[in-house]
Amino acid sequence: MGKLTVRALRAVLVVVLAGTVFVQALMVWALVSGNDPEDGSLPLTPLRVITILGMVSVQVALVCVWRLVTMVRRGTVFSHTAFRYVDGVIGAMVAAALVWFAVTAVNAPGQREDPGVTVIMAGVGVAILGVALIVLVLRMLLAQAVARDVEAAQMQAELDEVI
């Protein structure tokens, strides 16, 4: 991975992390201050709490991706340490899907006249779970690559002994 690619990805990660922290701060301020009265159209307090939790899942994924990029840059991504961060991304994505399903459930009563919105929102949650499954498959590929890397190192050691 080139330096420009790493810098660009890290810049995006920093901007998204800053954005999520900003949104969390606004949601916490709105919850604590009570300055935004609910008009009854949507249950705002549960949505704010769900948003805060959703931002936490995004932040966990961002930190894990940052660590994986660092490992790629150092050439150590094909190690058992990388699994911790890949598992973190998978867990964060599953948590994000569950948070999205919670948003769908909170929003559903207001969509009785147009249930298609709820169905679309549920479909988005399923899509998020699908992306988590794709990352799980990539984790399996990483496991195969790590196993091959260990095997290659053992063969190289044996070859060095013979020579």
Side-chain angles (χ1 to χ4, degrees), residues 17-34:
L17 185 63
T20 59
V21 169
F22 179 71
V23 169
Q24 277 179 322
L26 290 177
M27 292 296 130
V28 168
W29 176 254
L31 284 172
V32 171
S33 68

Side-chain angles (χ1 to χ4, degrees), residues 14-72:
V14 166
V15 168
V16 173
L17 185 63
T20 59
V21 169
F22 179 71
V23 169
Q24 277 179 322
L26 290 177
M27 292 296 130
V28 168
W29 176 254
L31 284 172
V32 171
S33 68
N35 289 336
D36 190 14
E38 296 186 19
D39 64 357
S41 62
L42 278 176
L44 293 179
T45 300
L47 285 174
R48 286 188 182 117
V49 172
I50 291 169
T51 300
I52 292 168
L53 294 174
M55 295 296 109
V56 169
S57 68
V58 171
Q59 291 164 351
V60 168
L62 291 172
V63 169
C64 290
V65 169
W66 183 284
R67 294 294 301 153
L68 286 168
V69 169
T70 301
M71 293 180 78
V72 168

Side-chain angles (χ1 to χ4, degrees), residues 128-141:
I128 295 169
L129 285 175
V131 173
L133 287 172
I134 290 170
V135 176
L136 180 63
V137 169
L138 294 175
R139 183 195 186 282
M140 291 178 202
L141 292 174

